[in-house]
Amino acid sequence: MVGIKDVAALAGVSISTVSYVMTGKRPIGVKTRQRVLQAARDLGYLAKNGSPASLDGETHFVALSSPVHDSTSYTNYCAYFLNFLKAARQLGYETLLLTEETGDEQLRSIIDTGMVDGVALMDVTMNDPRIELAQFSTIPFISIGHPTDEINVPCIDTDFTEMGEMIMQTLHRNGHDRILFIGGKKIDYERAGGANYLIRLRTSMHAAAARYGIHIDEEFTDNDDFAAAENLLERFISDKKNTAIVTQGGPLFLNNLVAATRQHGIRIPQDLSLVSAGTYTDSMGKRLRIDEFPLMPAELCQLGMSILVHLMDGTIKRKEKATLIHPIYKQRGSIASLC
């Protein structure tokens, strides 16, 4: 069984130094602290023995780790960041935003130097490298997003499996048996196993479609501009079998897709049923009168920050089960009934 002596030996320090890092009874230099914590992580000591004290007690800062990539949707990004910032301030915390693309090395440094009391992960992929760090962290973590496996990190997310079922059920109820699914940027379905919400929703839609006898054709787009939207609309027109489009594209793509339908004289919903799924169009979806199964950044960030505070003050312990919020359906009249 790994003990404090093993940590001291691996880190090249005395047993008392390891003890001071773990208890916070004496200040230890940043580099030495980092070396001790890395040794403890490598040996699995932290997972068995809990967390060391912060360098100066509570900092009243939390870190929000949300990597920025070339494919990042800034509409979604800003919605989640601003709602998390608001939720943190309401509970007496300021937010340190971490945007490094890989995320784990920057995050490790922030934790080991004692700059924050807790961490929230966003833009979580199915095989996210930050999750391993979170499982051996010296401070509480939450994940706003649900990776592949059940993990010892509290996850808060929309129930995208239920959302996929709701979408297919709605289309089936209205007589649609062949649809065109337009995903977002292809890389977001591939990077580190894919963005969790995109993968979960797409997988659920396919499973539900099989049960309801709905055929799904798929297209993806790396661009949000009018030309990209028009090209995909022409794909829909030429097929002549699809009766509805479900898109995971962002608000700009949705706006351009609707503009393209008008230019081609296609009426919504008489000629084309259109659904925006797993998106955050804010007021645009309402203005365009497009049915939407939206992301819910305000609800997720408020709940996530509340759980993180309870983890930091010790009123709740880590749990493996994810907390999933039921999706909502904003019905605006863009789905025609073919029955």
Side-chain angles (χ1 to χ4, degrees):
M1 181 176 179
V2 174
I4 194 170
K5 290 182 180 180
D6 303 295
V7 177
L10 183 59
V13 300
S14 67
I15 292 174
S16 60
T17 296
V18 177
S19 177
Y20 293 144
V21 170
M22 296 299 165
T23 63
K25 289 181 178 179
R26 286 190 185 180
I28 300 296
V30 170
K31 290 185 178 180
T32 301
R33 177 183 167 90
Q34 288 177 320
R35 194 163 69 249
V36 169
L37 292 176
Q38 185 58 54
R41 264 194 296 267
D42 291 343
L43 294 170
Y45 182 78
L46 287 176
K48 296 181 179 69
N49 294 278
S51 304
S54 66
L55 292 178
D56 299 302
E58 293 184 358
T59 68
H60 292 283
F61 269 81
V62 292
L64 175 60
S65 174
S66 188
V68 174
H69 309 277
D70 290 340
S71 61
T72 295
S73 167
Y74 291 105
T75 301
N76 291 350
Y77 185 91
C78 289
Y80 278 91
F81 167 60
L82 293 175
N83 276 288
F84 185 86
L85 183 68
K86 179 181 178 181
R89 282 190 172 176
Q90 287 174 342
L91 293 170
Y93 287 83
E94 295 298 330
T95 302
L96 178 64
L97 179 62
L98 307 178
T99 61
E100 186 180 57
E101 187 166 352
T102 54
D104 50 340
E105 288 304 319
Q106 185 185 44
L107 192 52
R108 190 188 306 274
S109 176
I110 293 297
I111 294 168
D112 288 356
T113 52
M115 293 178 64
V116 297
D117 301 326
V119 177
L121 303 178
M122 283 188 185
D123 190 24
V124 177
T125 57
M126 299 298 282
N127 303 313
D128 201 298
R130 295 171 294 168
I131 294 299
E132 182 177 358
L133 175 60
Q135 291 179 310
F136 294 94
S137 172
T138 60
I139 58 176
F141 265 69
I142 62 162
S143 174
I144 299 179
H146 190 196
T148 300
D149 299 320
E150 292 297 330
I151 54 174
N152 190 28
V153 177
C155 298
I156 302 94
D157 209 352
T158 303
D159 191 335
F160 289 104
T161 300
E162 183 182 359
M163 183 183 288
E165 173 72 25
M166 289 170 63
I167 293 167
M168 291 299 108
Q169 186 180 70
T170 300
L171 291 170
H172 174 71
R173 186 172 60 244
N174 284 283
H176 297 272
D177 58 10
R178 185 164 185 146
I179 68 168
L180 174 63
F181 168 75
I182 301 177
K185 296 177 174 62
K186 194 73 177 289
I187 191 172
D188 288 330
Y189 296 81
E190 300 169 345
R191 173 172 45 86
N196 83 97
Y197 76 100
L198 295 177
I199 298 299
R200 289 186 180 280
L201 179 54
R202 179 188 176 204
T203 300
S204 174
M205 284 175 54
H206 277 279
R211 290 195 301 274
Y212 289 116
I214 298 175
H215 177 86
I216 298 180
D217 293 311
E218 282 194 335
E219 293 285 348
F220 297 88
T221 177
D222 290 332
N223 297 298
D224 293 332
D225 57 21
F226 181 83
E230 187 174 39
N231 285 338
L232 287 169
L233 181 64
E234 289 173 351
R235 157 79 167 81
F236 173 86
I237 295 170
S238 63
D239 188 275
K240 295 182 180 179
K241 294 179 181 178
N242 294 310
T243 56
I245 291 177
V246 177
T247 176
Q248 283 185 306
L252 180 57
F253 177 79
L254 183 64
N255 186 69
N256 284 323
L257 183 61
V258 172
T261 64
R262 292 170 179 168
Q263 181 165 304
H264 283 265
I266 296 173
R267 301 166 300 166
I268 300 174
Q270 293 91 336
D271 305 318
L272 160 65
S273 291
L274 181 58
V275 183
S276 184
T279 51
Y280 183 72
T281 65
D282 198 15
S283 59
M284 185 174 292
K286 185 176 181 180
R287 176 175 61 81
L288 296 174
R289 299 172 67 182
I290 301 302
D291 284 29
E292 183 178 18
F293 293 82
L295 299 174
M296 297 183 284
E299 294 84 349
L300 290 177
C301 290
Q302 288 168 5
L303 178 58
M305 188 60 206
S306 175
I307 292 174
L308 184 57
V309 167
H310 288 310
L311 288 166
M312 291 187 292
D313 65 22
T315 55
I316 63 172
K317 303 297 181 182
R318 288 188 179 190
K319 57 179 183 177
E320 294 185 5
K321 188 176 180 180
T323 301
L324 300 178
I325 297 178
H326 293 295
I328 59 175
Y329 174 27
K330 295 187 176 181
Q331 189 172 359
R332 299 176 178 132
S334 67
I335 298 180
S337 175
L338 306 181
C339 300

